[in-house]
């Protein structure tokens, strides 16, 4: 459960306050969620997830696709409804 909390923390989510995000976080924990060449492990000493890229030997402490998961969390939190409401007030132009 600590690894789940660590992944949630990357998204600034406290699971006890937003349990509806568990599916998204579970997806983020899957090895298949990482781009090719990346692996993840939980570092109990820091309480964080560690991401390593095999060929470049780079290490980082946030998911390589964190922006994607932040966008998914935004949509899960009602962002899609807000986007549709804003779009109905000011429809996109043909170029958009």
């Amino acid at each position: 459960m600590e690894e789940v909390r660590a992944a949630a923390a990357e998204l600034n989510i406290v699971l006890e306050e937003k349990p509806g995000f568990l599916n998204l976080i579970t997806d983020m924990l899957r090895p298949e969620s990482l781009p090719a060449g990346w692996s993840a492990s939980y570092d109990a000493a820091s309480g964080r997830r560690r991401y390593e890229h095999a060929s470049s030997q780079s290490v980082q402490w946030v998911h390589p696709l964190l922006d994607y998961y932040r966008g998914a969390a935004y949509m899960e939190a009602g962002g899609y409804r807000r986007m549709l409401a804003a779009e109905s007030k000011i429809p996109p132009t043909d170029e958009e």
Side-chain angles (χ1 to χ4, degrees):
M1 187 63 173
E2 293 305 314
E3 187 171 6
V4 172
R5 282 192 179 90
E10 288 181 55
L11 296 170
N12 298 319
I13 293 172
V14 177
L15 276 178
E16 291 75 15
E17 295 172 7
K18 298 181 180 180
F21 285 88
L22 185 58
N23 287 339
L24 176 66
I25 293 163
T26 301
D27 182 70
M28 188 174 160
L29 290 169
R30 293 177 41 238
E32 298 84 15
S33 76
L34 296 165
W38 286 90
S39 64
S41 60
Y42 177 69
D43 182 65
S46 68
R48 297 172 69 190
R49 294 188 73 210
R50 179 181 179 186
Y51 302 91
E52 298 178 47
H53 189 265
S55 63
S56 69
Q57 297 184 351
S58 63
V59 174
Q60 61 189 50
W61 294 94
V62 296
H63 196 289
L65 299 176
L66 185 61
D67 288 341
Y68 165 81
Y69 284 100
R70 282 185 176 156
Y74 172 78
M75 294 303 234
E76 183 72 26
Y80 185 70
R81 286 187 304 277
R82 289 191 294 271
M83 181 186 74
L84 290 177
E87 189 176 86
S88 69
K89 291 178 185 175
I90 304 172
T93 64
D94 289 339
E95 293 85 33
E96 294 173 325

